[in-house]
Amino acid sequence: MEGLLDRPLNPNKLLKEQFVSNLTGSSLLEIAALSTIVPVVVVLRKWSSRDNIRRDSVKKNDDALADHKDGVYYFSALVIDCLTVVLPILLIFTILAEWAYICAISLVVVISIYILLKRSQSHLKAQQHLPSLRADISSYRVSVVLVTCLSILAVDFKIFPRRYAKAETYGSGIMDLGVGSFVVANALVSRQARNITS
């Protein structure tokens, strides 16, 4: 009878404790590579879209009903965003984790080539519309929330490398960087940062 009471109710509790224990994080170079991949993917998606400037025909009006064409446009943009931003980040944080350096270097090379091509063509075109600071801050906040959500959801699965999880005592992982990034992302849009007193 005593042996029955000493046995834990959940036999997998020890396995779960071992799975989430002794996390030391990863190297700072790997964290830098991962934190380079996310903004590069977002920037490439922004540059690849044909209409970086908001369409004049679709203005924010809460009273007006969106017609069918606008719904199809936004749904197709959502699908393209999922395929070109969310899916690559999810793959790099899980299946392609061993190739994080190669992915980071190749994406930086692609964006560098794109910038060089744009600069060589810039003398042919007039001054292009530069994205606003508000759009850049929004892109940063979206990428922080995206990485945070994906990491929180994936950390309980074995496909998510344990070195990316929050370190227990010393060390740093991508989730440790996410804590600081989340604070910075919310500080950028705070009332004090926007000089709003009321």
Side-chain angles (χ1 to χ4, degrees), residues 6 31 71 85 90 140 165:
D6 292 338
I31 293 171
V85 177
L90 181 64
Y140 173 70

Side-chain angles (χ1 to χ4, degrees), residues 4-25:
L4 184 62
L5 294 176
D6 292 338
R7 207 175 339 151
L9 293 176
N10 186 357
N12 296 324
K13 182 178 179 185
L14 183 62
L15 293 174
K16 177 67 175 175
E17 287 176 0
Q18 289 173 349
F19 183 67
V20 297
S21 297
N22 302 324
L23 303 177
T24 58

